[in-house]
Amino acid sequence: MPAELVHPTDDRSKQEIVYAALRDAILQGLLRVGTQVPSTRTLASRWAVSRGTLEGVYERLCAEGYLTRRQGAGTFVSAELPDSYLKVQPVLPLMPPPAATPLRHHESHVKSGQPFVARLPDPALFPLQDWARHMLRCINKAGEITSESNQVTGFLPLKQQIAQYLREHRNIVCEPQQVIITTGIRHALALISRAFLRPGDNVAMEDPGYPFGRDIFALAEAKLIDIAITEQGIDLEALSKAQQVRALYVTPSHQSPLGCVMSITKRLAVIDWAQQQGALIIEDDYDSEFSYSGSPLPALMSHDNSAQTLYCGSFNKTLSAELRVGFLVARGAQLERLNEVAAIHGRAVALHEQLALAEFMRSGAFARHLRTARQAYAQRRNRLLALLTQHANGKYRVSGHEAGLHLVLWLPADRDEAAFCQQAAEQGLQLQPLSLFCRSIKLPPAVMIGYAALTLAHIEVSARLLAKLLASPASHA
């Protein structure tokens, strides 16, 4: 141990310097386990510090478990140092880490600012300063909330705002108690799987459809039944042939990925089928807020009086992809079961974040943002379509462009999806082939076009490149 300890250039307090010196001596083995340490009188004289400083350091080291004092014997280095509890002691031989598992699909590649996989809300439109003010107020206020803060299914003020929003904009009549707060659509699907699915249960899925939905139900060891989706919506004949179905997963307002809208007639037919089968309907309403040719149709749940429908919504598409807040609406026995499962999992979203979102909605900021975003996305979509019309020589068609954050670009029949996507990548355009979203169904060549999180300048340049590729002669893989 050093004879001199405190140096004039050291800006730490004497107590911190002494503490660090003794702790380091213990950890480095200069003072071994079981060794008696010098008395405070001895070290005070050696290091030219007061005994009071040494007493404070010894008390701290004893409290932290580095030293142990024995009545009448002195002070000793502890047999078990506290730092050892922070280190995992391997009980089996260490195995080499597994090779990284490649992504099975390209959903995770979706990002803002990248033509044309920008199937996300534009982060530049998010009213960050307004949101920050709400967050700061709610962080300060969160400590005052007691009686309602332990609600694992969500904070009541937020559930009230969501219930009111659904009544006004999705025609869903529900009570706040029927709303469960989640981290998003995937979390809602995971809760539903835990609550209602057993290994071997049949789950009917849209094809093409949402890849992560398939993955979540597969994790529950469900058997997936592919139901074809045409440009006119779900194939009712194929659905009617499905037997012993426990649940049907659908995206009726803006089918993912084709973008078609399920008609009222088909919605009523799906509800009737579910009632006859005793099957649940899982309605994923992921981006219905963005309708560009008129008001969106009411949610499928609004037509169901049997409580068979479970409604999943999210703020990830409306506000920000980084805001991991969603909701699940259920009724009757389904609600009771989901509440039980949610209670086991515990609260999913931080209280202050729920508080801030509730205030954001109550203040009218959410509605203002939706109006601003809808106008901006419609403008970007319109400019994209105009440039394709002007420069692509009609060698394409589009669908799913009446709503949402993306559209489907159908290629000429002689074009190969993979080759077209490769050509686009060479031009700096990232495209997702429609086949990535298909399981059993075979569809003509097409690619997904995300435009919401692109600036008009991005669209101006990238749409011309895309149109040039479309107008060029076919190149096969």
Side-chain angles (χ1 to χ4, degrees):
M1 296 177 66
E4 295 183 1
L5 187 68
V6 180
H7 301 281
T9 58
D10 199 326
D11 57 0
R12 294 176 296 170
S13 69
K14 289 183 179 181
Q15 191 171 78
E16 286 296 327
I17 294 171
V18 173
Y19 167 81
L22 285 171
R23 182 177 181 273
D24 290 346
I26 293 170
L27 292 178
Q28 294 170 11
L30 299 177
L31 291 174
R32 297 182 179 279
V33 169
T35 301
Q36 184 175 8
V37 298
S39 68
T40 57
R41 185 187 299 276
T42 301
L43 281 186
S45 175
R46 182 184 304 174
W47 287 348
V49 296
S50 69
R51 284 189 66 191
T53 297
L54 264 300
E55 283 293 341
V57 170
Y58 274 35
E59 287 179 7
R60 179 177 173 183
L61 290 170
C62 287
E64 293 179 358
Y66 292 100
L67 298 179
T68 302
R69 277 180 163 167
R70 302 175 190 170
Q71 189 70 30
T75 305
F76 298 82
V77 178
S78 296
E80 287 288 344
L81 299 182
D83 297 67
S84 65
Y85 295 114
L86 302 178
K87 300 175 182 178
V88 176
Q89 302 299 322
V91 294
L92 294 174
L94 294 177
M95 301 294 290
T101 303
L103 290 171
R104 290 194 293 139
H105 45 70
H106 294 264
E107 280 284 290
S108 296
H109 292 175
V110 175
K111 56 185 177 181
S112 61
Q114 174 64 57
F116 280 99
V117 291
R119 295 188 285 111
L120 295 170
D122 186 353
L125 295 179
F126 183 58
L128 189 57
Q129 290 185 343
D130 195 8
W131 174 255
R133 284 193 295 269
H134 282 90
M135 281 289 289
L136 182 59
R137 284 198 297 269
C138 292
I139 288 173
N140 293 331
K141 185 180 178 183
E144 305 171 8
I145 306 299
T146 55
S147 62
E148 297 164 321
S149 62
N150 61 348
Q151 293 186 0
V152 295
T153 60
F155 189 53
L156 183 58
L158 177 56
K159 295 163 76 166
Q160 289 171 332
Q161 291 298 321
I162 291 173
Q164 180 179 337
Y165 173 79
L166 293 175
R167 284 194 297 269
E168 294 176 358
H169 297 279
R170 303 304 296 127
N171 205 36
I172 296 175
V173 179
C174 65
E175 298 300 322
Q177 292 76 13
Q178 296 172 316
V179 177
I180 298 172
I181 303 301
T182 68
T183 61
I185 300 291
R186 288 188 234 174
H187 182 205
L189 298 182
L191 287 176
I192 291 169
S193 296
R194 287 290 182 90
F196 303 112
L197 298 183
R198 296 171 297 182
D201 280 350
N202 292 328
V203 175
M205 294 283 300
E206 298 175 327
D207 189 17
Y210 180 43
F212 281 118
R214 294 191 196 119
D215 291 346
I216 290 169
F217 296 131
L219 281 175
E221 299 183 54
K223 293 181 179 178
L224 303 183
I225 300 175
D226 299 324
I227 306 297
I229 299 293
T230 68
E231 290 183 59
Q232 291 74 41
I234 194 167
D235 187 336
L236 290 176
E237 183 178 355
L239 182 62
S240 66
K241 295 178 181 178
Q243 299 297 318
Q244 296 181 322
V245 175
R246 181 67 182 114
L248 166 67
Y249 170 83
V250 288
T251 53
S253 296
H254 188 236
Q255 200 276 331
S256 176
L258 293 182
C260 55
V261 178
M262 188 186 295
S263 68
I264 293 292
T265 301
K266 286 195 173 185
R267 294 179 192 220
L268 294 176
V270 166
I271 293 171
D272 184 60
W273 168 86
Q275 291 175 356
Q276 293 180 21
Q277 287 265 335
L280 296 172
I281 301 172
I282 305 170
E283 179 179 9
D284 181 346
D285 202 29
Y286 68 101
D287 69 355
S288 63
E289 291 83 359
F290 301 115
S291 179
Y292 309 123
S293 58
S295 299
L297 290 176
L300 186 150
M301 187 183 211
S302 68
H303 303 289
D304 183 11
N305 297 319
S306 67
Q308 295 290 104
T309 301
L310 306 171
Y311 179 91
C312 306
S314 171
F315 295 95
N316 303 349
K317 296 290 188 184
T318 52
L319 284 175
S320 169
E322 303 306 318
L323 181 64
R324 308 310 299 179
V325 184
F327 49 93
L328 171 59
V329 181
R331 297 166 174 155
Q334 274 73 281
L335 175 63
E336 293 179 14
R337 177 58 182 152
L338 283 166
N339 280 336
E340 292 173 357
V341 173
I344 295 172
H345 283 262
R347 184 197 298 154
V349 181
L351 176 60
H352 65 268
E353 197 167 22
Q354 294 188 55
L355 276 168
L357 183 53
E359 286 297 307
F360 191 78
M361 297 180 74
R362 187 195 60 77
S363 70
F366 180 57
R368 289 194 298 273
H369 170 72
L370 286 183
R371 290 193 294 269
T372 300
R374 188 183 294 114
Q375 183 176 359
Y377 299 157
Q379 185 181 22
R380 296 168 193 186
R381 179 206 64 163
N382 293 343
R383 187 55 185 157
L384 169 65
L385 293 177
L387 288 167
L388 291 178
T389 299
Q390 184 177 356
H391 298 288
N393 297 332
K395 294 188 175 182
Y396 70 97
R397 62 186 179 89
V398 297
S399 66
H401 56 290
E402 301 297 333
L405 308 180
H406 75 275
L407 56 83
V408 178
L409 180 71
W410 299 89
L411 306 176
D414 62 344
R415 300 301 288 257
D416 178 88
E417 276 186 357
F420 188 80
C421 290
Q422 179 59 41
Q423 290 175 335
E426 293 169 0
Q427 298 294 320
L429 306 179
Q430 189 174 342
L431 302 178
Q432 292 176 302
L434 183 60
S435 57
L436 284 176
F437 301 82
C438 300
R439 241 172 61 101
S440 302
I441 195 171
K442 301 295 182 183
L443 294 175
V447 293
M448 305 282 287
I449 302 293
Y451 54 82
L454 298 176
T455 65
L456 284 173
H458 273 134
I459 289 174
E460 201 71 34
V461 173
S462 301
R464 293 174 188 271
L465 290 174
L466 182 62
K468 184 176 179 181
L469 286 175
L470 287 168
S472 65
S475 176
H476 299 275

